[in-house]
Amino acid sequence: MSDKTYPPSDEFVANAHVDAAKYKEMYAASIEDPSAFWREQGKRLDWIKPYTKVDNVSFEPGAISIKWYEDGTLNASANCIDRHLETRGDQTAIVWEPDDPEADARHITYRELHEQTCRLANVLKDMGVKKGDRVVLYMPMIPEAAYAMLACARIGAIHSVVFAGFSPDALGARINGSGARVLITADEALRGGRKTALKSNADAALLHCDDRVQCLVVKHTGGQTTWTARDHDCKALMAEASTDCPPEEMSAEDPLFVLYTSGSTGQPKGVVHTTGGYLVYVAMTHELVFDYHDGDIFWCTADVGWVTGHSYIVYGPLANGATTLMFEGVPTYPDASRFWQVCEKHKVNQFYTAPTAIRALMGQGDEFVTKCDLSSLKLLGTVGEPINPEAWNWYNEVVGKGTRPIVDTWWQTENGGHLITPLPGAIATKPGSATLPFFGVQPAILDPQTGKEITTTEAEGVLCIKNSWPAQMRTVYGDHERFEKTYFADYPGYYFSGDGCRRDADGYYWVTGRVDDVINVSGHRMGTAEVESALVAHPKVAEAAVVGYPHNIKGQGIYAYVTLMSGEEPSDELRRELEQWVRTEIGPIAKPDLLQWAPNLPKTRSGKIMRRILRKIAEDDYGSLGDTSTLADPSVVDGLIEHRLNKG
Ligand code: ATP
Ligand code: MG
């Protein structure tokens, strides 16, 4: 892994909210007296009844309990909308960029956001939705998705957003799991010029749900025809509804939403986030990690179906009175220039995306980027997987012209917001490292064998967090035991992330992937991410996934799945070249024992490579692939199995 450092420019530092000295001082203060630190940060929000208590947390096995600002009351939607009306009523809250580049973009002001949210909140109330009820959202990336989330928050209903790419089965399971009585969906979603029949999927899902579930349908494309007794026309009802809906007074610890993890490692978990601490934390990280300044245009390319969309399209930016961009489409439609065209068109200042998108676009060539005017960009960000240094360098040089800080943010659905990340004006970055902890976060690296914390600066092991932060998940929906078992049982007294990690001599953290992704080859422990990064660094390789498999002599062997750049053809010669390449890049120990050409890799709907499935294929174990319901394209797996059987 690269150890070259990239400090922010003097110009960036001069304007930044936090510089190196301030980071050190504030971090120390946040660790010395967390209650005082977070008491102060809580003032970012408007409270109905101010809190007197700040943190009340127990990581004690059998008694896990996490509470922040517990005696305060507030409303999240009022914090994201109402409090901005006086000063920002006419400012754009949401820029909406449609799938079709020829269609009109929309600029929704805070005043309009207020009006629409209140209307939808009143529609929900009229349908009988009350404080504490669950509402499932199955929505395209349209403004109504944000209105729906905020409308739920306004009346105290708990939203559970299900990514619109999920199947009827996955949707039905989540409706039943949450006991929701209202589903909000749209006729169709439009992505990359292709329509997905959301309403038909919803109909299929609802066949397996309680008859009393009602369905609010947003007519978006106009393409849906079937209509049943439980369906309501969302826009028509909104048009008739009142624009006045007083926000419900919520306790800081009332749930704001339930959201399922992406399922890369097993069955998705229903993560519960509450109101006060979550909102304080996402507002703070949005401002400081992206160095957001008043008037900036912020674009997070995630889908609202993921936590990244919750925290950094909706709640964080809107709590800060920011302008947030919401994009309906995909990075490669009409062509691989779309992201950059949108940046140019809307003069985007901060751009936040995932390594999977960067790798895909990198494979298409630089011209798609260089033909656009990206001069408005001030900062780039990534989240979701470890970013290979090769992809980082491309992002930095081709997109950022070598002058924009890159924030590689490590966090999880469970965390609510960034935990390990550079602060762009304070911390010199290293390609592939998420660098240092955010304020109030105390990472710990534990030895997986002994379970003991490794206290030397240089360390390698499993990544845990020693203390709580305000946006930490509170429980698994309806299953507190699973919460305790998953996150607090293996290493008592710590929050266990499930990720492997290395800390270098500068104290920088390098997340190496899931703990399960560490392989042991002839007694050498090695993160699969390292081998993948070496492969991706080869000019003909677009993507790679590496897993371990049982090997008679070495204990574990290295199995590499390789996707080539568009236009490259697999050959035995290239196979040998790649094996040799890894030998030279890392060492003979890392040479793949088996290398399989993979036209595509199995990914979750959020774009993460599902290594647990690749592991099964490598082990020749096709019978028990586990939960595959969150796979983006299940046929990819069949293709790989077939190839494996033919020893391709
Ligand atoms: P499941 O928990 O159901 O298996 P998941 O872990 O993929 O799904 P998420 O919460 O979406 O669900 O993803 C969090 C994980 O993504 C982290 O645990 C980590 O493995 C990875 N990750 C996120 N950001 C980064 C980053 N900047 N660097 C390295 N890894 C990252
Ligand atoms: Mg996870």
Side-chain angles (χ1 to χ4, degrees):
M1 298 256 166
S2 164
D3 259 337
K4 196 170 165 200
T5 55
Y6 293 79
S9 68
D10 293 344
E11 192 193 339
F12 192 93
V13 174
N15 260 313
H17 291 302
V18 180
D19 63 14
K22 192 164 174 202
Y23 170 72
K24 281 204 188 80
E25 180 201 317
M26 274 177 76
Y27 185 75
S30 74
I31 302 306
E32 257 156 49
D33 190 349
S35 304
F37 183 86
W38 291 112
R39 180 180 300 282
E40 193 56 30
Q41 291 303 327
K43 295 179 185 160
R44 289 175 175 272
L45 303 183
D46 283 2
W47 298 81
I48 299 170
K49 177 169 158 275
Y51 48 88
T52 64
K53 299 181 185 157
V54 179
D55 49 329
N56 178 7
V57 175
S58 160
F59 280 6
E60 225 20 71
I64 308 294
S65 161
I66 300 161
K67 291 181 176 146
W68 286 85
Y69 309 109
E70 59 184 304
D71 61 347
T73 65
L74 76 167
N75 182 281
S77 124
N79 271 283
C80 289
I81 310 172
D82 304 41
R83 65 169 176 157
H84 306 310
L85 289 178
E86 204 175 310
T87 50
R88 304 177 188 277
D90 297 321
Q91 183 201 306
T92 300
I94 300 175
V95 179
W96 182 68
E97 171 69 19
D99 184 57
D100 175 2
E102 305 299 326
D104 288 335
R106 287 174 54 192
H107 293 81
I108 297 143
T109 63
Y110 272 95
R111 200 178 317 287
E112 194 182 345
L113 180 62
H114 179 257
E115 191 183 305
Q116 300 294 350
T117 300
C118 285
R119 285 181 189 275
L120 185 45
N122 281 324
V123 170
L124 290 170
K125 268 184 163 172
D126 288 346
M127 292 171 80
V129 179
K130 292 185 300 297
K131 183 171 174 171
D133 289 350
R134 279 78 56 210
V135 174
V136 169
L137 276 55
Y138 184 62
M139 300 279 278
M141 283 288 285
I142 54 177
E144 284 76 7
Y147 305 159
M149 291 165 76
L150 293 162
C152 288
R154 196 161 189 92
I155 61 172
I158 304 166
H159 59 71
S160 181
V161 185
V162 177
F163 175 56
F166 278 137
S167 65
D169 284 352
L171 174 61
R174 285 160 177 73
I175 295 170
N176 289 332
S178 65
R181 285 292 162 79
V182 172
L183 168 67
I184 311 181
T185 188
D187 45 12
E188 293 176 317
L190 197 55
R191 289 179 86 231
R194 293 217 316 260
K195 289 174 177 170
T196 311
L198 293 188
K199 174 60 167 52
S200 304
N201 287 351
D203 287 343
L206 288 173
L207 289 176
H208 307 285
C209 300
D210 193 299
D211 285 343
R212 284 165 295 183
V213 179
Q214 302 181 75
C215 189
L216 265 178
V217 186
V218 176
K219 290 186 175 171
H220 173 47
T221 64
Q224 173 71 29
T225 50
T226 57
W227 206 260
T228 72
R230 67 168 162 255
D231 298 332
H232 307 268
D233 181 335
C234 189
K235 282 185 183 169
L237 291 178
M238 281 171 73
E240 289 163 16
S242 159
T243 58
D244 178 37
C245 177
E248 191 77 32
E249 179 171 357
M250 304 300 288
S251 151
E253 281 303 332
D254 281 333
L256 179 62
F257 62 84
V258 178
L259 182 65
Y260 287 84
T261 56
S262 60
S264 327
T265 56
Q267 221 189 346
K269 299 164 276 276
V271 168
V272 176
H273 282 290
T274 57
T275 308
Y278 171 80
L279 205 58
V280 168
Y281 197 81
V282 296
M284 182 179 186
T285 46
H286 171 260
E287 183 193 24
L288 302 186
V289 173
F290 300 116
D291 199 46
Y292 185 87
H293 290 261
D294 236 7
D296 285 347
I297 313 285
F298 176 81
W299 183 16
C300 163
T301 70
D303 192 280
V304 287
W306 311 122
V307 72
T308 308
H310 282 59
S311 300
Y312 299 114
I313 294 177
V314 179
Y315 288 111
L318 296 178
N320 288 334
T323 299
T324 180
L325 193 146
M326 189 175 190
F327 175 42
E328 186 183 22
V330 298
T332 48
Y333 175 82
D335 65 29
S337 203
R338 187 67 191 276
F339 267 2
W340 323 119
Q341 277 163 5
V342 174
C343 285
E344 174 179 320
K345 176 174 171 188
H346 296 292
K347 302 199 167 44
V348 170
N349 300 113
Q350 292 91 4
F351 176 76
Y352 189 36
T353 196
T356 181
I358 298 170
R359 288 191 301 261
L361 296 174
M362 179 171 85
Q364 305 286 322
D366 297 356
E367 317 75 65
F368 288 109
V369 188
T370 51
K371 71 178 183 197
C372 297
D373 175 4
L374 297 181
S375 55
S376 61
L377 287 177
K378 298 198 275 196
L379 172 140
L380 304 172
T382 102
V383 60
E385 287 182 289
I387 179 163
N388 324 97
E390 186 71 10
W392 195 100
N393 286 329
W394 182 83
Y395 200 29
N396 179 45
E397 282 155 29
V398 181
V399 181
K401 320 293 177 213
T403 59
R404 277 75 163 181
I406 295 182
V407 290
D408 174 358
T409 60
W410 176 82
W411 61 295
Q412 313 173 290
T413 310
E414 294 89 336
N415 307 152
H418 310 135
L419 288 195
I420 302 182
T421 174
L423 284 188
I427 297 168
T429 54
K430 300 183 189 183
S433 169
T435 76
L436 299 173
F438 189 73
F439 300 121
V441 175
Q442 298 185 60
I445 293 188
L446 272 59
D447 180 327
Q449 259 77 49
T450 65
K452 293 258 174 334
E453 184 175 342
I454 308 172
T455 52
T456 47
T457 305
E458 281 186 81
E460 180 148 15
V462 301
L463 179 57
C464 293
I465 310 291
K466 269 196 234 190
N467 61 329
S468 182
W469 61 98
Q472 183 169 24
M473 78 183 280
R474 303 301 197 249
T475 192
V476 169
Y477 189 76
D479 194 351
H480 199 64
E481 218 178 292
R482 185 171 178 206
F483 177 56
E484 299 218 6
K485 223 173 124 228
T486 310
Y487 306 104
F488 299 94
D490 293 359
Y491 303 97
Y494 296 85
Y495 166 79
F496 170 47
S497 72
D499 285 346
C501 187
R502 177 169 73 85
R503 188 166 54 211
D504 72 14
D506 297 323
Y508 277 42
Y509 290 84
W510 300 75
V511 175
T512 48
R514 316 308 171 126
V515 171
D516 297 349
D517 295 336
V518 173
I519 49 182
N520 194 327
V521 183
S522 309
H524 297 269
R525 287 169 58 76
M526 177 168 8
T528 51
E530 200 177 349
V531 187
E532 288 167 8
S533 288
L535 285 164
V536 173
H538 189 282
K540 291 183 182 164
V541 175
E543 246 186 327
V546 167
V547 296
Y549 74 105
H551 189 286
N552 288 341
I553 300 153
K554 302 179 178 179
Q556 270 188 306
I558 298 178
Y559 198 112
Y561 297 83
V562 173
T563 309
L564 295 175
M565 291 280 189
S566 58
E568 298 295 341
E569 286 298 322
S571 68
D572 284 342
E573 196 189 333
L574 182 54
R575 183 195 304 272
R576 281 190 296 275
E577 188 181 320
L578 291 179
E579 287 169 359
Q580 192 53 43
W581 172 270
V582 177
R583 276 182 82 107
T584 332
E585 292 275 301
I586 310 179
I589 187 76
K591 182 179 99 54
D593 298 281
L594 282 168
L595 192 150
Q596 176 172 343
W597 304 116
N600 290 297
L601 292 168
K603 290 187 182 171
T604 62
R605 295 280 180 176
S606 52
K608 292 163 198 262
I609 299 169
M610 265 210 214
R611 289 181 185 72
R612 67 179 161 87
I613 289 182
L614 295 173
R615 219 177 287 131
K616 292 278 184 193
I617 299 175
E619 288 164 2
D620 276 327
D621 179 6
Y622 314 116
S624 53
L625 294 179
D627 184 350
T628 54
S629 66
T630 63
L631 266 178
D633 178 4
S635 71
V636 168
V637 175
D638 301 334
L640 289 175
I641 292 175
E642 201 172 305
H643 212 249
R644 169 82 168 125
L645 292 174
N646 298 329
K647 298 293 173 219

